């Protein structure tokens, strides 16, 4: 239940203590993902960059955290009837796997253009997948009808205190690890759609590392969060399809996530598909990590130079790694990224004798 | 310099204290790579598996560690004349980048069938690359002639105390992290060619976690280390080409590495190319890590079922991630790996209303 914030009359859906409680529920179940550093990335950005590798999370994205926490909060009597979720893929896998581990059934409504890898991985966790049309169908309404028929509980993709607190554990791990290194982040860039992850991370940073600026990174054409932050009210995207970042195509910021984000975050940056693909290629070639386009949007914001972070300590969340092989091939086939000038070895030139 | 072992009249090239000294030299320069866990991998193997992700190391493989340590040990007066190395790719990159960071020139002799990605990455660190024929040329002899002409120091790929101690820091991090978790490994599987990495890791484990069994994982047809361990003497491979594991094609165990490995390790397992590719695909799809075939050989040993590890706690070193995109595509195009039986969601079957 919402607890009033000490700093504001309006209650927020989650507080730092909710995220800490979620972390206790996730201990030993979710992976504590590493913060990855890369000399090449630092040179490219002129900054000290830490990549929170949530692609290494169970199910390949951070979504497992929120799903596990939300399911743990379902009342005992309702739990056996299972859960229903609506998702383009990563939330689907997170809910399906969290439900499998809780030994309860899961039914997932997925748009029919969801990447094949995400549907296959959702089904292998034992979930029943119900397909719908991304543009034509109201998939939330379909999910609600299903949940009513089954007596099941809906696990929303972002606008839910349990989900938001679970995603916030990403921020808690970032703060813990940087604290351990004696480092304070100047900036935290978070791939954002409905705002579940950003609301959780921003809640943690506000309490634990208040000088760090939290910002959304969004695909171009789907920057509803940044525009909403600038306008001070929730604005819609024009479309729900048309970006390669299939994971980040929500209509608008959430009703629960937005007030928190408006309090604790600043407008961020929008990144075109071309740079999402370059970031996927960079993650594979330089970081040795599998990243999907939406998951790589914060990394892409840095690589594209759309954000000046010179001299800063920056954390980028790499939120998901479920990339279809065809997309990776497309990314790798693009022009090779430009590399920093090497120091060279001088004038040596010898042929084998 | 070799220090006599307390347990043996014959001196070993390195002791645990040499690895600890190397760790101090590498602090803040090399990445402390994470131990990755995966529920899917544990289920597949019926074991608790930790993957030491050295693909996340600078230059994409553990080789940067040994190169950096060896270069740090070069006498001040000789250092400015630079280094020479002979390598199929990962040692090349490691030496080139370590030399760049030390601001000294590097010349690398590479076989002309080395993967394009490895040559390109070696050159971008500023090294001069000299190509030779893998079968016909004696590339060690070429390297020696070059070093003599340049007055440069050779950094051997494995048979060198500085290199071996540097690679051993992989083992030190494994021991430190498992200690922190209160976990004792039953087994440590190490991708092995000349034995630099295995000799270092086995030295550490013997001192820090003596109940852990260290074993080499090798490509089929290139299992000179296991055969040598069984025979009690250094045996040759029949060829130096013909496996997809381009990083693991040394002729025979090293003169310095073998005595240490013979003391501290047991014969391991040989893995055919098909399973190396499956492991590359598994690493990408399930672990979200980029692995090259040779780097994935220990993981492949587990996935192939060639080693029974049921109920054990096993560490596999994923030693390198510099895979050519074509090899990855080939791996992903193979039959999808079989997945563990899911628990299912029971008899739910509902259509959207």
């Amino acid at each position: 239940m919402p607890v009033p914030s000490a700093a504001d009359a309006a209650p927020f859906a989650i507080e730092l203590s909710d995220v800490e409680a979620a972390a206790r529920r996730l201990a030993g179940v979710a992976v504590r993902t590493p913060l990855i550093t890369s000399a090449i990335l630092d040179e490219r950005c002129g900054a000290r960059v830490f990549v929170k590798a949530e692609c290494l999370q169970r199910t390949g994205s951070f979504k497992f955290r929120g799903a596990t926490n939300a399911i743990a909060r379902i009342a005992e009597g309702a739990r056996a009837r299972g859960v229903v979720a609506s998702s383009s893929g990563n939330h689907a896998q997170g809910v399906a796997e969290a439900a499998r581990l809780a030994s309860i059934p899961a039914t997932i409504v997925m748009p029919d253009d969801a990447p094949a890898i995400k549907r296959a991985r959702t089904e292998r966790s034992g979930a029943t997948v119900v397909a719908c049309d991304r543009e034509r169908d109201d998939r939330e309404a379909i999910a609600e009808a299903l949940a009513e028929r089954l007596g099941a509980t809906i696990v929303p993709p972002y606008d839910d205190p349990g989900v938001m607190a679970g995603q916030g554990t990403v921020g808690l791990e970032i703060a813990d690890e940087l604290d351990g290194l004696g480092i304070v982040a100047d900036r935290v860039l978070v791939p954002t759609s409905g705002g579940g992850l950003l609301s959780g991370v921003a809640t943690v940073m506000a309490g634990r590392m208040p000088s760090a600026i939290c910002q959304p990174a969004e695909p171009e054409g789907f920057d509803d969060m940044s525009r909403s932050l600038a306008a001070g009210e929730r604005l819609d995207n024009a479309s729900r399809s048309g970006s390669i970042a299939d994971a980040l195509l929500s209509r608008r910021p959430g009703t629960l996530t937005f007030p928190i984000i408006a309090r604790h975050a600043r407008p961020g940056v929008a990144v075109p598909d071309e740079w999402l693909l370059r970031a996927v290629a960079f993650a594979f070639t330089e970081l040795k990590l599998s990243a999907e386009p939406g998951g790589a949007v914060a990394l892409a914001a840095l690589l594209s130079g759309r954000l000046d972070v010179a001299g800063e300590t920056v954390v980028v969340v790499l939120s998901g790694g479920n990339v279809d092989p065809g997309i990776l091939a497309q990314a790798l086939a693009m022009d090779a990224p430009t590399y920093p000038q090497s120091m060279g070895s001088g004038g040596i030139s010898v042929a084998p004798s």
Side-chain angles (χ1 to χ4, degrees), chain A:
Chain A
M1 281 290 90
V3 174
S5 159
D8 194 334
F12 287 148
I14 61 165
E15 300 287 339
L16 178 57
S17 58
D18 298 307
V19 182
E20 291 166 340
R24 289 190 289 274
R25 292 188 194 102
L26 294 181
V29 183
V31 174
R32 279 188 76 88
T33 57
L35 277 181
I36 306 277
T37 56
S38 155
I40 294 282
L41 181 57
D42 286 0
E43 290 179 46
R44 272 284 288 267
C45 304
R48 184 177 194 178
V49 184
F50 294 88
V51 178
K52 178 66 169 168
E54 274 297 290
C55 55
L56 304 177
Q57 186 53 264
R58 257 178 123 129
T59 72
S61 91
F62 72 98
K63 291 284 193 177
F64 175 77
R65 298 174 184 261
T68 299
N69 190 51
I71 286 175
R73 288 162 40 113
I74 297 174
E76 198 56 55
R79 195 179 297 191
R81 290 194 298 280
V83 289
V84 170
S86 150
S87 161
S88 66
N90 282 335
H91 181 56
Q93 290 174 73
V95 171
E97 185 65 6
R100 183 178 82 82
L101 292 172
S103 302
I104 64 174
T107 307
I108 315 285
V109 183
M110 294 184 83
D112 47 17
D113 63 350
I117 184 177
K118 294 184 177 177
R119 176 164 181 154
R121 291 166 61 99
T122 301
E123 289 176 331
R124 95 173 179 203
S125 286
T128 300
V129 171
V130 174
C132 71
D133 185 274
R134 186 187 285 270
E135 288 282 356
R136 199 190 60 223
D137 292 336
D138 180 344
R139 64 177 198 249
E140 284 77 14
I142 294 173
E144 277 167 30
L146 275 169
E148 179 138 14
R149 192 186 312 182
L150 296 164
T153 305
I154 286 187
V155 181
Y158 49 86
D159 227 10
D160 175 86
V163 169
M164 292 157 67
Q167 320 303 33
T169 60
V170 170
L172 215 49
E173 291 173 12
I174 292 170
D176 285 348
E177 189 152 344
L178 292 184
D179 278 351
L181 296 168
I183 292 170
V184 176
D186 296 304
R187 199 185 291 266
V188 182
L189 289 177
V190 181
T192 298
S193 182
L197 180 59
L198 179 56
S199 66
V201 169
T203 295
V204 171
M205 287 296 148
R208 291 282 305 272
M209 206 170 273
S211 64
I213 297 168
C214 291
Q215 290 174 292
E218 297 172 282
E220 209 169 69
F222 298 85
D223 59 342
D224 52 308
M225 188 63 78
S226 278
R227 289 186 297 107
S228 298
L229 285 171
E233 60 173 334
R234 294 161 63 227
L235 302 177
D236 285 10
N237 289 317
S239 168
R240 289 191 73 175
S241 62
S243 164
I244 200 168
D246 59 89
L248 302 181
L249 308 183
S250 296
R251 176 77 71 192
R252 68 183 72 86
T255 55
L256 301 182
T257 61
F258 186 66
I260 293 175
I261 294 168
R263 164 61 62 93
H264 296 311
R266 297 196 196 164
V269 60
V271 185
D273 276 5
E274 181 198 333
W275 275 102
L276 299 185
L277 286 171
R278 286 188 194 280
V280 167
F282 184 93
F284 179 78
T285 306
E286 300 297 345
L287 306 182
K288 307 301 174 188
L289 293 173
S290 170
E292 60 185 275
V297 63
L299 176 64
L302 283 196
L303 293 174
S304 70
R306 274 171 167 68
L307 207 60
D308 181 13
V309 295
E312 292 187 2
T313 297
V314 183
V315 179
V316 298
V317 180
L318 202 169
S319 57
N322 294 313
V323 62
D324 262 342
I327 296 286
L328 177 71
Q330 190 183 339
L332 292 174
M334 293 177 70
D335 291 344
T338 55
Y339 293 122
Q341 203 126 32
S342 95
M343 298 170 64
S345 62
I348 294 193
S349 175
V350 245
S353 56

